[in-house]
Amino acid sequence: MKMFINSTCKNFLACVDSVQIGLTPKAHFLSWEIFVQMCKKGWGLDFAKEIHIKEPIDEEVNPRLLPGELLLCEASTVYKYIQEDGSNCGTYGKLICTNFKISFLDEHSASDDNEPQFKNKIIGENDITLQCVDQIYGVYDEKKKLLTGQLRKYPEKLIIYCKDLRVFHFCLRYTKEEEVKRIVSGIVHHSQTPKLLKRLFLFSYASAAPNNTDGRNQTVMFDTLEDWCDELERTKGNVKYKAVVTNEGYRVSEKLPLYFVVPMCVSEDSILKFQGRGIPIWCWSCRNGAALLKMSAFPKEQDDAASQMQKAFLDGIYRTISNPPYELLKTEDLSSSLPCLQEIQTAYTRFKQLFLIDNSTDFWATDVKWFSLLESTNWLEIIRRFLKKAIEVAECLERQHSNVLLIEESATDLCCVISSLVQVMMDSYSRTKSGFQSLIQKEWVTGGHSFLDRCNHLHKNDKEEAPVFLLLLNCVWQLVQQYPPAFEFTETYLTVLSDSIYVPIFSTFFFNSQHQKDTNMTGESLKTQSGPFKFLTVWDWSVQFEPEAQALLSNPLYAEKPKPDKRQRKTTQFKHQRQLSLPLTQTKSPPKRGFFREETDHLIKNILGKRIGKFIINSSDEPHNSFREFYDSWHSKPVDYHGLLLPSIDGPEIKVWAQRYLRWIPEVQLPRGGTIATAAKILNLMEEVQSLQVKMDEEHSQAISQDVQALPMLRSSARLSSLFPFALLQRQSIKPALPTSTWKDLEDEDDLVKRDDEFVDLSGHTS
C-alpha cells in the first residue's frame, strides 16, 4: 500500500486499470473505493482537486432507448467535466454511442428526481444526437487535435462541440484501453463520416415506433391541392392565380412540389416545356392585390436557339403579368444583391466560435474585445442586409402596389428567406404559431429547400453546407424581441425549433425536396401505393414536450386581434435595450447594384445568361431614398401589432439571439433576471386572474384549475436565471483580474476599452 501512497494518484489508477481486466463489478468498485478513501485521508489531494469524486453506484445504469435505437458501443469509468471557474470538476459515469445519439449516463440518469422542469422527452441533458455533433477534438499531452477518419492514437480527453453550441469534455484517462478505442472510434465514425440517406435514424424510428401522435395539428402541410386553394382564398389571390397539378408524378421537376400556384396566363404546356424554370411561382398576395412571386433562373450556359426561345417565352410572361388585372411588376435578382451561401457559411462559422467556450478563463479572455470580435464575424451585418431587403420588398407591395418577382438560380435558398420574412412582416397570420409553421411548410419544406445538404446531415459535401434556415430564425427573432405582443410564439419556441433541426425522428428537416421524401417512403418507386414508413412532423410538439413545457412556447402577452367594431387603442413602440448588439456606427453602404434596376437587359442577362432583348419591366428611380422615406415614415407612427411590422435595423437594434447562443454559458446568467423574470411576473398575475375567475364562476372551476396547473413552472424562482428554461441557476464564476501584461497590451486601445465598457450590459454577458 505504501507503494501506492508514494505514487501519484494518476499512476495508482493506471495500476488499478491494469489489473481490473477480468475482475467482477464488485472488485472494480472495491478498487475505486480504495482510491476514494485515499483521497479522503489526504493522499493524492492534487488529483482530488482535478475531479469531483463520486462513488460508482451499485446498480447498472441502463440507457433509455427509443424504438429502433441500438446500442453500438460504450465505455465505463468516464468523467464528464463541468467547466466552472476554470476548474475541472467532473462526474463519474458511462459514455455510450447508439445509432441515434451519444449519451453520458451517471447516477442521476437512474432517477427522475433532478430532471429539469423544461424536459425534452427525446433528448436528455447529456444527450447529443449524431446530427448535432459539429466537431470532435482529442487531447494528447494537453494539445487539441481534430479527430476524423481512422485514428492511430487514442486521446486521453475527448471534446465534443455541438451545433446547438453545447461543449462536452470527457476524461478517458482511467477508462480501459479497449473501451477507449471502441467508444472514440465509434463516435467519430457514426457522427463524422459520410453516410447513406437510409442509414439515418429517421428510418429506423419510423419503422419501429407506433404512430399514435396527436392528429389535431393545425399546421397546413401544403401537400394537397386543397391546401393551396385554401391559401389562395385566404389571401384573396384566387382571382389572378391558380393552383396547378402539372407536376403530379413529378413529370415537370423533382425539385418542385406536387402542387403549386402560377398566374392564370401560364399554360400547362409552358410549365412542361421549360421544366418549371422561368415560371413565376406565387408565394403570397397582399390585401391590396399585389403579389409576391419567385422564379428559378434558366441555366446560363445555353445555345442561341434555346436562349431565343426562352427570351420569347419570358417576354410573353412579363408583358402579360405587367398589364391589368395584374399590378406593376418589379424584379429582384437575389443572387447579386445579397450575400451568397458561402459568405453566409463563413460568417456563421466565425460567429459561433465566440460561444463555443471551453472554460471560464477562455470566456473572460475574449470579453475585452467582445465588440470587435463580434463585428469581425459579419453575421449581424448579414442579418441586417436580409431584413433591409425584406423591408424593400414590403415597400413595393404595400406602398407602390407592385408585384415583386424574386429571382435566384434555384429559388430555394435566398428566395425562401426573403419571401418568409416579407410574409411575417405583412401577414399577422404568419405571426401565430400555426401560421408560422404553415409558412415554413409552404416556403421551405414543400418549396424545395435542400435541408439535407444545407445542414450537411449526411456529411457528404461540406461545400453545400450553409445555415440558411437558421438565418431566417435569427431574422424572425429580431422581430420577436422588438415587438413581443405581435407574436403568438416566444423566443423559446424559436430556440427549440432551431434545436429540432438536428433531431432525426422528424422528417421536416431531413430531405432536400418533397420528391426525395416520397421516393424514400418505401425505398422503391412511386408506383407503390403505400409504404412502411410514416414519418413524424416536428410540428407535433407533444412528441418532445409535456403540456406544461409547451406552455413556454406560447406568448402570454400576445395581443389578440381586435374586433372591427371596437376602437383600436393607440400603442407605442417597444423600447429596445442596447444589449448584445454592436455600438451605433454608420451602416455599411449598400452594394452598387440597386434593389430594382432600370436596365432590364442586365436582369435578362442573369436569367438567360446573355444580354438579349428588352422587356417592359418598371423599376423605381431612387430605391434607396424611397426605402428610407418608407422606413422612417412607418417608425414615426404607432405600431399596429396586427398590421405591417418593420424591424429596426439601425446600429445596436440588430442584436445577438441571447437565449440560443448564450444559454449554456454560466458566466452570462442573470440570477432571477432576464426575460424569465418578466415571464414569472406575468404568469403569477395570470394565475391570480384565473383564481378570481374560479371564485366568480364555480361552474367552470375544473376547466380553469387545469389551466392554472399548466402555467406553473415559474413558481419556485429561487433557482431561476436568464438561462431558463434550458438551464437552472448555476454557480456564478468570478471575473478574473487581467494580468499586467494584458493591460499593457491594451494601453494603445484605451478608446476601444472605454467604448466597450459603455455597453457592458450584455444581458448577463458580463457579471
Side-chain angles (χ1 to χ4, degrees):
M1 179 62 71
K2 289 183 179 180
M3 177 183 67
F4 285 113
I5 296 173
N6 294 330
S7 302
T8 64
C9 289
K10 183 175 180 181
N11 291 333
F12 171 77
L13 275 187
C15 295
V16 172
D17 284 341
S18 65
V19 300
Q20 274 183 344
I21 301 175
L23 295 181
T24 63
K26 185 68 175 177
H28 174 90
F29 292 145
L30 182 60
S31 301
W32 175 257
E33 289 169 357
I34 293 173
F35 170 65
V36 171
Q37 292 301 320
M38 290 173 59
C39 290
K40 288 180 178 178
K41 293 179 181 180
W43 305 332
L45 288 178
D46 290 338
F47 179 76
K49 291 179 181 178
E50 181 182 354
I51 59 173
H52 175 61
I53 301 169
K54 291 192 176 183
E55 300 183 32
I57 53 177
D58 292 334
E59 60 181 75
E60 185 77 8
V61 179
N62 295 316
R64 300 176 181 178
L65 301 179
L66 297 175
E69 186 176 4
L70 302 175
L71 180 63
L72 302 176
C73 52
E74 61 181 313
S76 302
T77 326
V78 175
Y79 289 93
K80 173 178 173 284
Y81 284 100
I82 305 170
Q83 302 296 327
E84 293 182 1
D85 297 338
S87 63
N88 290 328
C89 299
T91 303
Y92 169 88
K94 179 190 295 184
L95 186 63
I96 69 169
C97 179
T98 74
N99 59 336
F100 170 56
K101 66 178 182 288
I102 302 163
S103 185
F104 178 77
L105 308 174
D106 59 6
E107 62 266 36
H108 294 294
S109 305
S111 66
D112 298 336
D113 296 338
N114 295 315
E115 287 183 343
Q117 291 177 303
F118 190 68
K119 178 191 173 185
N120 190 308
K121 296 191 289 185
I122 302 298
I123 306 297
E125 181 181 1
N126 291 320
D127 294 341
I128 316 166
T129 66
L130 298 179
Q131 281 65 42
C132 191
V133 176
D134 192 3
Q135 289 183 320
I136 302 176
Y137 280 84
V139 178
Y140 303 85
D141 299 325
E142 305 303 323
K143 294 182 180 180
K144 288 168 56 176
K145 180 182 178 182
L146 182 66
L147 302 183
T148 56
Q150 296 292 331
L151 303 178
R152 295 182 180 180
K153 185 179 178 182
Y154 293 89
E156 57 189 28
K157 290 184 181 179
L158 197 66
I159 305 176
I160 301 178
Y161 295 96
C162 304
K163 294 180 180 179
D164 62 4
L165 285 307
R166 290 180 295 170
V167 181
F168 289 85
H169 294 251
F170 298 107
C171 176
L172 305 173
R173 290 177 182 172
Y174 317 110
T175 307
K176 296 178 183 178
E177 185 177 353
E178 293 81 3
E179 292 185 357
V180 171
K181 291 180 179 179
R182 283 197 298 268
I183 194 66
V184 174
S185 299
I187 289 175
V188 172
H189 173 74
H190 293 290
S191 67
Q192 300 293 290
T193 58
K195 57 175 61 69
L196 298 174
L197 176 61
K198 283 293 187 71
R199 293 291 184 182
L200 288 176
F201 181 70
L202 173 71
F203 294 91
S204 300
Y205 185 83
S207 60
N211 184 24
N212 53 4
T213 58
D214 189 356
R216 296 173 295 175
N217 196 335
Q218 297 181 348
T219 304
V220 181
M221 305 304 289
F222 289 96
D223 54 0
T224 66
L225 184 63
E226 289 73 23
D227 288 344
W228 288 98
C229 292
D230 291 344
E231 180 70 358
L232 274 174
E233 185 175 352
R234 184 187 73 84
T235 59
K236 312 301 180 187
N238 48 357
V239 176
K240 306 167 187 177
Y241 300 90
K242 63 181 179 181
V244 295
V245 297
T246 315
N247 201 35
E248 284 187 336
Y250 299 100
R251 55 188 182 135
V252 176
S253 171
E254 295 180 354
K255 199 64 179 173
L256 289 172
L258 285 174
Y259 312 101
F260 53 93
V261 176
V262 297
M264 288 284 190
C265 61
V266 176
S267 66
E268 181 176 333
D269 292 339
S270 300
I271 299 174
L272 287 168
K273 186 174 183 179
F274 297 104
Q275 298 181 326
R277 288 187 176 272
I279 302 295
I281 296 178
W282 177 87
C283 298
W284 177 76
S285 286
C286 186
R287 63 181 182 274
N288 60 21
L292 181 63
L293 308 162
K294 64 181 178 181
M295 173 193 290
S296 58
F298 285 114
K300 292 187 177 182
E301 298 298 328
Q302 296 276 0
D303 56 45
D304 291 338
S307 295
Q308 291 297 327
M309 185 183 303
Q310 292 165 2
K311 179 260 176 187
F313 168 69
L314 287 174
D315 194 5
I317 291 290
Y318 281 105
R319 287 184 182 277
T320 303
I321 63 177
S322 294
N323 294 319
Y326 299 97
E327 283 69 28
L328 197 67
L329 180 66
K330 309 259 183 175
T331 58
E332 170 58 18
D333 181 13
L334 299 180
S335 300
S336 60
S337 61
L338 287 174
C340 65
L341 298 183
Q342 186 177 2
E343 290 178 87
I344 296 172
Q345 173 67 6
T346 301
Y348 183 70
T349 300
R350 293 172 180 167
F351 175 74
K352 70 181 180 181
Q353 295 305 317
L354 300 178
F355 310 100
L356 292 170
I357 305 298
D358 281 347
N359 52 57
S360 182
T361 303
D362 290 349
F363 174 84
W364 292 115
T366 62
D367 189 57
V368 175
K369 296 184 178 180
W370 165 254
F371 286 118
S372 59
L373 291 172
L374 181 60
E375 185 175 22
S376 66
T377 67
N378 206 41
W379 178 248
L380 295 186
E381 178 60 26
I382 287 177
I383 292 174
R384 187 196 317 277
R385 288 181 63 180
F386 273 85
L387 288 171
K388 183 174 183 293
K389 182 65 64 179
I391 295 172
E392 290 171 346
V393 173
E395 188 244 344
C396 292
L397 293 168
E398 177 77 10
R399 191 171 72 166
Q400 301 182 23
H401 294 193
S402 301
N403 291 329
V404 177
L405 176 63
L406 306 176
I407 300 173
E408 189 187 4
E409 182 179 354
S410 63
T412 57
D413 289 304
L414 308 184
C415 279
C416 295
V417 179
I418 297 302
S419 63
S420 299
L421 283 177
V422 170
Q423 292 175 67
V424 170
M425 292 178 188
M426 301 188 69
D427 189 352
S428 61
Y429 171 69
S430 296
R431 301 195 285 268
T432 65
K433 192 186 299 183
S434 60
F436 185 69
Q437 294 172 173
S438 301
L439 173 66
I440 294 174
Q441 280 293 138
K442 178 179 67 172
E443 299 296 335
W444 294 80
V445 181
T446 61
H449 179 67
S450 300
F451 281 106
L452 201 62
D453 293 340
R454 297 293 175 259
C455 300
N456 201 17
H457 288 316
L458 300 181
H459 292 279
K460 284 190 174 181
N461 190 351
D462 293 342
K463 294 181 180 179
E464 293 291 326
E465 185 175 1
V468 184
F469 183 65
L470 188 57
L471 174 62
L472 169 76
L473 298 184
N474 276 263
C475 291
V476 172
W477 179 86
Q478 303 293 331
L479 283 158
V480 170
Q481 65 95 18
Q482 290 183 23
Y483 309 106
F487 291 85
E488 189 184 30
F489 50 85
T490 61
E491 69 167 341
T492 301
Y493 168 87
L494 293 174
T495 303
V496 169
L497 182 57
S498 71
D499 292 341
S500 301
I501 298 173
Y502 314 113
V503 182
I505 69 169
F506 308 110
S507 65
T508 311
F509 306 123
F510 278 86
F511 291 104
N512 283 335
S513 64
Q514 190 177 2
H515 169 266
Q516 187 183 48
K517 176 183 176 181
D518 290 347
T519 52
N520 282 281
M521 292 290 285
T522 62
E524 299 176 356
S525 66
L526 288 174
K527 296 180 181 179
T528 306
Q529 295 298 319
S530 61
F533 301 130
K534 190 161 185 181
F535 300 118
L536 295 179
T537 174
V538 73
W539 311 127
D540 187 354
W541 295 107
S542 64
V543 176
Q544 295 191 70
F545 302 104
E546 297 293 349
E548 286 190 350
Q550 290 183 55
L552 290 177
L553 307 182
S554 299
N555 180 15
L557 285 182
Y558 174 60
E560 295 290 341
K561 195 167 185 176
K563 296 180 181 180
D565 58 337
K566 288 189 178 180
R567 192 167 139 198
Q568 287 189 344
R569 297 173 60 186
K570 289 188 177 181
T571 56
T572 57
Q573 295 187 51
F574 188 79
K575 187 175 181 180
H576 321 299
Q577 293 180 342
R578 300 176 69 179
Q579 55 189 22
L580 290 168
S581 56
L582 293 174
L584 183 58
T585 56
Q586 186 176 1
T587 57
K588 296 183 180 180
S589 58
K592 293 181 180 179
R593 296 167 178 170
F595 176 52
F596 296 125
R597 303 182 186 87
E598 291 184 290
E599 297 185 8
T600 59
D601 293 341
H602 189 63
L603 171 65
I604 303 307
K605 181 180 179 181
N606 284 326
I607 298 176
L608 301 178
K610 302 194 177 199
R611 186 183 295 274
I612 51 175
K614 287 189 177 181
F615 295 170
I616 302 177
I617 308 177
N618 296 281
S619 60
S620 57
D621 297 328
E622 297 180 352
H624 182 71
N625 293 338
S626 177
F627 160 79
R628 197 72 217 184
E629 181 185 345
F630 176 70
Y631 177 84
D632 292 339
S633 174
W634 185 89
H635 279 279
S636 65
K637 301 174 184 177
V639 178
D640 177 7
Y641 291 120
H642 290 275
L644 174 67
L645 286 185
L646 297 185
S648 298
I649 60 173
D650 294 326
E653 301 296 352
I654 302 298
K655 302 174 182 175
V656 173
W657 184 357
Q659 187 186 66
R660 183 179 196 276
Y661 297 109
L662 298 173
R663 55 186 159 151
W664 312 120
I665 305 177
E667 288 77 11
V668 304
Q669 69 181 340
L670 291 175
R672 303 188 186 183
T675 56
I676 193 59
T678 304
K681 294 292 185 183
I682 294 170
L683 291 179
N684 287 337
L685 287 174
M686 291 176 65
E687 286 185 290
E688 291 182 18
V689 171
Q690 289 176 340
S691 298
L692 291 173
Q693 181 65 37
V694 171
K695 295 178 181 179
M696 293 174 60
D697 193 352
E698 293 294 333
E699 210 173 301
H700 297 87
S701 60
Q702 184 175 358
I704 296 296
S705 64
Q706 290 177 354
D707 291 338
V708 172
Q709 291 174 4
L711 286 182
M713 306 182 29
L714 308 181
R715 287 180 179 173
S716 177
S717 59
R719 296 189 62 203
L720 297 184
S721 75
S722 55
L723 307 185
F724 185 85
F726 297 96
L728 295 177
L729 184 63
Q730 302 184 36
R731 183 160 55 91
Q732 191 79 4
S733 66
I734 301 174
K735 184 175 181 178
L738 286 175
T740 306
S741 59
T742 305
W743 284 117
K744 189 174 181 180
D745 293 339
L746 292 171
E747 282 180 356
D748 296 333
E749 302 181 25
D750 282 342
D751 292 338
L752 173 63
V753 174
K754 290 177 182 177
R755 189 164 72 247
D756 286 356
D757 289 341
E758 290 177 9
F759 302 95
V760 76
D761 182 13
L762 300 179
S763 265
H765 180 68
T766 57
S767 59

